Amino acid sequence: MTNFVALLRGINVGGSNVISMAALKECFTEAGFADVRTYIQSGNVVFASDSTSSAELEVEIERMLRERLGADILAVVRSRDEFAATVAAAPSDHGSAELLSDVLFLKRPLTATEALMQLPELTPQVDSVSAGPDALYFSRTVVDSARSRVDRLRANRLSKRMTVRNWRTTLRLRDLLEQER
């Protein structure tokens, strides 16, 4: 079995798609996934599956959430190796004390190159973005974070085709994926 993480977009944000992690875990377990664990309240589910296709799991999980919970939720699924490759490819300063850093996990078939072309204008010397494997790395300087144009990114139609995790959560999910159970 392979370890995967499902990154669910918009769970428990702003009062919409309110789903308890216990209900989410139960949903995954009843669907036949093994070693199901959730991390924080924002829709991070680590699980094991016999499947080898992240893309097939995305379709299956989105259908499952619609049928069992009545919620249309975007699921971005990565295997342990895919997730580790995304973390390893991050810029060397990503997550440094001077930056507020996020990973924008892209819903396939959207590529990082396509996503970069659709980004709104960002603030020079404050915002930075670079491409990685099926993800974008977005950072803004701590000292000037109020000048960041990250809100333009969140309002962009591109945001409907990705889900965002901060760097600390990304690293914790990587660690959870590495744990053998």
Side-chain angles (χ1 to χ4, degrees):
M1 298 201 41
T2 302
N3 284 347
F4 290 90
V5 63
L7 306 167
L8 307 178
R9 183 179 183 279
I11 295 285
N12 300 330
V13 177
S16 63
N17 291 326
V18 177
I19 300 170
S20 76
M21 294 303 100
L24 200 54
K25 182 177 179 178
E26 180 180 322
C27 186
F28 272 72
T29 302
E30 288 177 357
F33 297 111
D35 299 325
V36 179
R37 296 167 278 165
T38 61
Y39 178 69
I40 63 177
Q41 297 295 312
S42 58
N44 304 295
V45 184
V46 176
F47 62 97
S49 174
D50 288 329
S51 177
T52 58
S53 171
S54 297
E56 288 175 10
L57 285 169
E58 286 176 349
V59 171
E60 182 179 344
I61 289 167
E62 287 174 352
R63 184 182 68 247
M64 173 190 71
L65 294 171
R66 192 175 317 104
E67 291 172 358
R68 293 175 184 253
L69 301 175
D72 283 320
I73 297 170
L74 179 124
V76 174
V77 176
R78 298 293 188 261
S79 71
R80 180 187 65 207
D81 292 345
E82 290 168 332
F83 202 87
T86 298
V87 170
S92 60
D93 64 344
H94 204 68
S96 70
E98 296 79 29
L99 299 174
L100 299 173
S101 299
D102 299 312
V103 180
L104 289 60
F105 292 93
L106 306 175
K107 174 79 170 174
R108 296 175 185 131
L110 180 64
T111 67
T113 301
E114 293 168 333
L116 280 173
M117 293 187 315
Q118 296 178 40
L119 284 178
E121 183 180 345
L122 302 176
T123 306
Q125 286 79 46
V126 175
D127 298 322
S128 64
V129 65
S130 60
D134 297 313
L136 297 179
Y137 306 100
F138 182 84
S139 290
R140 57 221 167 272
T141 59
V142 170
V143 69
D144 288 324
S145 63
R147 293 184 39 227
S148 174
R149 293 190 180 151
V150 70
D151 288 336
R152 287 187 180 187
L153 176 61
R154 291 182 183 132
N156 186 296
R157 63 184 170 86
L158 177 64
S159 70
K160 304 275 190 255
R161 299 175 63 199
M162 70 172 121
T163 188
V164 180
R165 298 298 183 271
N166 69 43
W167 188 239
R168 186 175 59 227
T169 296
T170 300
L171 293 178
R172 180 65 181 130
L173 290 170
R174 178 203 55 197
D175 294 346
L176 289 171
L177 281 163
E178 294 296 328
Q179 291 176 358
E180 294 297 325
R181 290 188 65 171

